[in-house]
Amino acid sequence: MASDQENSQDANAPDDTSEKEITRGITIMKSIIRDRDKAVTYNVNWNADNQLIGSNAAKLASYIGTLVRMHIPITATRWSNKELGSAKDKIWTEILRSFNIEDTTIRKKYILQLAGKRHRGWRTFLTNKYLKDKEKNFVEYDPEYPVKYAIFITEEEWVAFVAQRRDENFKKVSATNRERASNPTYAYKKGRLGYARLEEKILDETKSDATSLPPHVLWKEARVGKDGTVRDDVQHIYDECETLSQSISTAEDQENRSVLSRALNVPEYPGRVRGKGHGCTPTSLYKNPRRRNPSNQEVMETLQALQAQVLQLQKDNERYRCMEKCSSQLKETSEKASINCQNKFPEGISSCQLYLSSPTYRLVGKGKVHNTSGDLLHHRPLPDGHLKVSVDVVLDKDALHGPWISFSLMMRYTPTKPASKDKGILRHNESVASQKEVFAQGSQQLSQKIGSRQKNKRDLPVTYLPKKGAFVPRYQISLETLVDSSDMATAGAIRLLDMEEDIFGYSCTETIGKEDLEHIFRHQELGVGVIHTYIRFLYDNFMRGNDQLSNRFRFVSSSLVNKALICREPDSCREYLVKRFMASSTNNLYLWPYNSGCHWLLLAIDPLKEVVYFLNSIDGEWTNYPDMKQLVDTSIKVFRSQRQARVPRTKSSNITWIKVQCPLQRNGIDCGYFVMRFMREIINMNQIEIPITYFDEYKCAHYTRLQLEQIKEELCQYFIEKRLISI
């Protein structure tokens, strides 16, 4: 019985490996130590993903393992333990003595992460060799102290390590991990080569100019055996990755949803790039900085800024209410004076000008006011406080269809003998109802005073007193006066305009600065803030509430897709365009004001018909903007793929581009104004297809200054009506 028991115990005991241990010895990298004493160092290389490659990569990896065994105790269970900080610094210092590596944070982080892997591997090796039997089950007896590794492990450390490994919680975790790793579905077959050096090997053998390979390509090559055959299931995953890569953008890959993860249909771990190996992260692969949560101080600063904005809005609201009250009082006085105006005009027949206040304040005709006693109108005496007016000249034919009654008709008396040398208006003979025009002229005088300090400017101010019959930019004059009287007169002041989701496909806030308004007043080059504000004007005044127009025309944000972003972040630009196109249920025309850096042009895109209308006010070709054209073509193709449209093979690679013979500018600053007028005319015509020779109703060689001033007047009127500027 005793003999049987001894035989049973001998059968469960681990094999004697003392001979093998003596013959192999331990790895301490003596050659590196000798070369270090001779001041000899080794060069190492890094690939495009900041991974270790080159002939000395394996030597460095082995040396890191030696340093880990020397400086890190096997009882250390967590590599992130702060108590290991000094030991890690020692490892990094020793590596710098023998290897030429930049002493930077990114290199140190990579090396220490690799050291952490070596430490986990070292602990796993000791567990499998001394604490488990052949079937990988934990032995019940106390394992013998490994004398071979006495230079790395003390007896006290060994006892503590064995106790850690025999903990029941550790055994459960170990069993779970062993079962998960026992039968991999797609086994890795490249040994210690690693993904980084495998990529280096492939690029060297193929003599490719590429700096890196897609993850799914490396994943497939890492599963090719020595005989060179590829399993069918591996090839199937690779083919599916190739298909997905044609329709999924890089921006989607960055959210732990790469084409390889999609094809494998497995969850992904944060910070991991499947198929790239150690050291490659989503941040390094996609060159996209990681977003961090704001600190408490930053949150408090943001909260204080928002509180200040709320306080300012409350002040603006109070000021607005006061202005409303004053305006209502002025309107009441104006209406009364317009009716009871007999004492405002001299007796007899006098010349006058006729104005309408709705929908815009404008001169509509000239005539005579009859202030004579006993006047009859249609054989009836005039009511008290009323005068008879005869119309001599009609200047606005549309006004003939309007309600010409005393409450909407405003008269401006023109004396036959002016009382002053400048042929001005007698203030005491002027109706209170015409104060809007007096305000406009007063703003001219105010602007002249303010502009007296700007005499060196070559551009004439738009607030000059026009000649007879000339266009009067009334809303520009009024807006400029409001700006000069508000906090917008100071540099750096801004106003915010909300852009709802239906306009650009996402809700945002547009910033309007004083400089933007100055560009309008001085007829200078326009920025994106002004262009987007006019788009909001078109949406509010033409498309809102009009299902036909709002379902037919859409806009593309120039803030998200422009020359700079196309060069820097092409994937995000393409993703936004495809998302906008996917909102189409029927034929839509997407109006995109494109800024090439120093010039505005307009693209009108019909993604379903795959037609792009190119409207350029300087008569340039779309081939002059290759980045823009490539982005549009790619976006339409991805849109075609995502909606699973079938296109004839003859057209599969061709997108129809049409150069429209639109009006051309005659200077270097009008491009923004032309683009705004193009959009207005396209929406006004309500046509998806734009004729090559442009619309007959608007066809001309060049827009006149008056046609551009009309656009500016609409803009300024919109600023005033939205009450973006208030005193």
Side-chain angles (χ1 to χ4, degrees):
M1 294 293 292
S3 177
D4 293 340
Q5 185 177 2
E6 291 177 358
N7 293 337
S8 176
Q9 291 178 351
D10 292 339
N12 294 331
D15 294 341
D16 183 10
T17 59
S18 59
E19 294 184 0
K20 296 181 180 179
E21 294 176 359
I22 294 174
T23 56
R24 185 181 186 280
I26 58 176
T27 302
I28 58 175
M29 306 295 290
K30 292 182 179 179
S31 61
I32 295 180
I33 305 300
R34 288 194 295 266
D35 289 339
R36 184 191 67 190
D37 295 338
K38 297 177 183 178
V40 176
T41 57
Y42 303 93
N43 294 323
V44 295
N45 300 320
W46 307 85
N47 63 11
D49 298 321
N50 287 319
Q51 294 174 296
L52 188 64
I53 58 173
S55 57
N56 293 321
K59 180 178 292 188
L60 174 57
S62 298
Y63 186 53
I64 291 173
T66 298
L67 293 176
V68 166
R69 292 191 291 272
M70 292 178 61
H71 297 287
I72 306 296
I74 60 174
T75 54
T77 57
R78 295 183 63 85
W79 183 252
S80 59
N81 194 332
K82 294 182 179 179
E83 296 179 357
L84 300 179
S86 59
K88 293 178 182 178
D89 292 338
K90 181 65 174 177
I91 293 174
W92 176 241
T93 302
E94 290 293 326
I95 291 174
L96 292 180
R97 292 178 63 185
S98 299
F99 292 86
N100 296 322
I101 303 176
E102 303 94 331
D103 190 3
T104 59
T105 302
I106 186 173
R107 296 292 185 240
K108 182 178 180 180
K109 181 180 179 181
Y110 178 91
I111 293 298
L112 292 183
Q113 285 180 343
L114 186 56
K117 292 184 62 177
R118 293 291 178 266
H119 183 253
R120 291 191 295 274
W122 168 233
R123 284 159 51 87
T124 301
F125 165 77
L126 293 174
T127 302
N128 293 334
K129 184 173 181 64
Y130 294 100
L131 304 184
K132 294 183 178 181
D133 56 20
K134 293 181 179 180
E135 285 74 26
K136 300 303 180 182
N137 297 319
F138 283 91
V139 297
E140 297 296 333
Y141 57 87
D142 292 334
E144 183 181 356
Y145 170 66
V147 180
K148 175 181 177 179
Y149 302 107
I151 62 173
F152 300 138
I153 308 171
T154 65
E155 292 186 12
E156 293 79 7
E157 288 176 346
W158 177 252
V159 172
F161 175 73
V162 171
Q164 290 176 356
R165 293 297 181 170
R166 283 183 169 177
D167 182 76
E168 293 300 325
N169 292 331
F170 175 80
K171 289 183 178 180
K172 291 180 181 179
V173 173
S174 177
T176 301
N177 292 337
R178 183 172 68 251
E179 181 180 359
R180 183 177 59 185
S182 59
N183 295 310
T185 307
Y186 310 99
Y188 178 86
K189 297 184 178 182
K190 295 302 178 182
R192 298 182 61 189
L193 186 63
Y195 282 106
R197 285 187 285 169
L198 173 62
E199 182 180 58
E200 179 188 21
K201 179 181 178 182
I202 296 174
L203 293 176
D204 289 342
E205 291 177 350
T206 58
K207 297 180 180 181
S208 172
D209 295 332
T211 58
S212 63
L213 297 174
H216 66 277
V217 175
L218 286 176
W219 181 88
K220 172 190 173 184
E221 293 298 326
R223 282 147 185 83
V224 177
K226 294 182 179 179
D227 56 357
T229 59
V230 182
R231 285 169 36 185
D232 292 340
D233 54 349
V234 173
Q235 184 65 41
H236 173 73
I237 295 296
Y238 174 80
D239 294 339
E240 188 172 351
C241 289
E242 286 288 300
T243 303
L244 288 173
S245 62
Q246 302 298 323
S247 59
I248 297 179
S249 66
T250 305
E252 290 178 299
D253 283 354
Q254 299 179 24
E255 300 177 355
N256 297 329
R257 297 184 300 130
S258 65
V259 293
L260 184 55
S261 297
R262 292 167 184 264
L264 292 172
N265 193 24
V266 293
E268 201 58 276
Y269 301 99
R272 173 180 179 177
V273 179
R274 189 179 294 272
K276 274 293 186 177
H278 170 70
C280 185
T281 64
T283 301
S284 62
L285 181 64
Y286 302 114
K287 306 299 185 293
N288 187 24
R290 181 183 298 174
R291 297 179 180 177
R292 64 176 183 87
N293 293 329
S295 63
N296 292 337
Q297 181 180 357
E298 291 173 336
V299 171
M300 292 303 298
E301 291 175 354
T302 303
L303 180 60
Q304 292 174 1
L306 291 175
Q307 289 175 343
Q309 291 181 11
V310 170
L311 182 61
Q312 183 62 39
L313 289 174
Q314 291 175 345
K315 292 180 179 179
D316 292 343
N317 186 48
E318 186 66 26
R319 191 183 303 119
Y320 162 70
R321 291 180 181 275
C322 293
M323 291 181 61
E324 281 287 301
K325 184 176 180 180
C326 295
S327 298
S328 61
Q329 294 174 352
L330 178 61
K331 181 178 180 181
E332 182 179 358
T333 305
S334 174
E335 290 176 348
K336 291 180 179 179
S338 298
I339 300 172
N340 188 13
C341 57
Q342 279 186 322
N343 296 330
K344 298 292 182 179
F345 292 89
E347 294 184 0
I349 300 176
S350 306
S351 299
C352 67
Q353 295 178 346
L354 308 175
Y355 292 83
L356 280 178
S357 61
S358 178
T360 59
Y361 180 77
R362 64 196 189 279
L363 177 66
V364 297
K366 296 182 180 180
K368 294 182 176 61
V369 57
H370 300 255
N371 188 12
T372 57
S373 60
D375 261 346
L376 300 177
L377 182 64
H378 301 297
H379 308 290
R380 295 182 180 180
L382 291 172
D384 292 339
H386 288 71
L387 296 175
K388 184 170 70 173
V389 176
S390 60
V391 179
D392 297 333
V393 179
V394 175
L395 301 179
D396 188 345
K397 295 181 179 180
D398 294 335
L400 291 174
H401 306 289
W404 284 37
I405 60 176
S406 59
F407 288 97
S408 62
L409 180 64
M410 302 178 184
M411 296 180 294
R412 174 178 162 189
Y413 167 60
T414 306
T416 55
K417 294 182 180 181
S420 61
K421 294 182 180 180
D422 59 356
K423 299 183 181 181
I425 302 172
L426 291 178
R427 189 58 56 92
H428 65 277
N429 287 330
E430 186 176 4
S431 165
V432 179
S434 64
Q435 290 299 311
K436 283 191 176 181
E437 181 170 288
V438 175
F439 172 73
Q441 294 180 357
S443 66
Q444 178 269 336
Q445 298 171 0
L446 176 61
S447 299
Q448 285 184 342
K449 291 179 181 179
I450 297 174
S452 62
R453 298 187 297 270
Q454 305 174 350
K455 292 182 178 180
N456 294 330
K457 286 192 174 182
R458 289 180 292 177
D459 293 337
L460 291 175
V462 299
T463 52
Y464 63 91
L465 282 174
K467 297 180 181 180
K468 183 177 181 180
F471 173 78
V472 180
R474 303 185 185 282
Y475 284 104
Q476 296 180 53
I477 294 172
S478 300
L479 182 61
E480 187 173 9
T481 304
L482 285 174
V483 170
D484 291 335
S485 304
S486 69
D487 63 329
M488 288 291 286
T490 60
I494 62 172
R495 288 294 186 270
L496 302 179
L497 178 64
D498 292 331
M499 308 292 285
E500 55 196 76
E501 184 176 358
D502 290 342
I503 300 177
F504 292 130
Y506 68 102
S507 58
C508 60
T509 301
E510 194 61 53
T511 302
I512 308 298
K514 179 189 176 184
E515 294 77 10
D516 294 317
L517 300 176
E518 288 290 336
H519 293 165
I520 300 174
F521 300 150
R522 309 303 169 198
H523 198 83
Q524 297 172 349
E525 297 178 1
L526 300 180
V528 66
V530 176
I531 300 294
H532 280 186
T533 301
Y534 191 75
I535 288 177
R536 174 65 190 271
F537 159 79
L538 293 175
Y539 180 82
D540 285 344
N541 290 272
F542 291 84
M543 301 168 63
R544 187 186 298 278
N546 188 327
D547 293 338
Q548 185 181 23
L549 290 178
S550 60
N551 292 331
R552 180 167 290 184
F553 299 99
R554 301 177 187 268
F555 299 99
V556 173
S557 172
S558 301
S559 297
L560 291 188
V561 192
N562 52 53
K563 171 67 174 179
L565 287 177
I566 291 175
C567 296
R568 189 170 67 250
E569 301 175 10
D571 293 329
S572 63
C573 294
R574 182 177 67 250
E575 183 181 11
Y576 169 69
L577 282 181
V578 173
K579 184 178 180 181
R580 287 297 286 150
F581 295 161
M582 289 298 292
S584 302
S585 56
T586 57
N587 282 98
N588 297 115
L589 196 64
Y590 287 83
L591 302 179
W592 173 21
Y594 174 72
N595 193 324
S596 65
C598 58
H599 175 63
W600 286 100
L601 56 87
L602 181 66
L603 296 179
I605 306 173
D606 187 342
L608 285 178
K609 291 185 177 181
E610 300 187 353
V611 176
V612 182
Y613 298 96
F614 181 80
L615 291 86
N616 192 352
S617 58
I618 60 173
D619 198 28
E621 301 291 340
W622 60 72
T623 53
N624 297 333
Y625 310 92
D627 296 332
M628 174 269 293
K629 184 180 185 301
Q630 182 180 4
L631 173 67
V632 174
D633 289 345
T634 305
S635 301
I636 292 178
K637 291 177 182 178
V638 174
F639 168 67
R640 176 202 304 164
S641 174
Q642 291 193 5
R643 65 187 180 92
Q644 299 180 350
R646 295 185 178 181
V647 179
R649 182 174 299 179
T650 57
K651 192 186 176 184
S652 61
S653 60
N654 296 324
I655 310 297
T656 303
W657 283 72
I658 299 176
K659 179 182 178 182
V660 179
Q661 300 174 18
C662 55
L664 303 179
Q665 65 187 78
R666 289 179 286 190
N667 55 35
I669 61 175
D670 281 347
C671 55
Y673 304 94
F674 272 64
V675 165
M676 291 191 294
R677 189 166 183 96
F678 290 158
M679 291 190 293
R680 191 190 198 285
E681 292 173 348
I682 291 172
I683 294 176
N684 193 48
M685 292 304 299
N686 194 13
Q687 294 183 19
I688 293 293
E689 298 181 359
I690 304 177
I692 296 180
T693 58
Y694 205 54
F695 304 108
D696 293 337
E697 292 81 354
Y698 299 109
K699 186 181 299 183
C700 60
H702 314 279
Y703 286 142
T704 64
R705 181 60 180 267
L706 177 59
Q707 288 175 303
L708 301 183
E709 288 292 335
Q710 291 172 350
I711 299 296
K712 293 165 61 176
E713 277 290 273
E714 288 180 332
L715 256 177
C716 293
Q717 181 180 1
Y718 187 71
F719 275 109
I720 295 174
E721 291 178 347
K722 295 294 289 185
R723 303 188 186 280
L724 292 176
I725 312 297
S726 58
I727 300 176

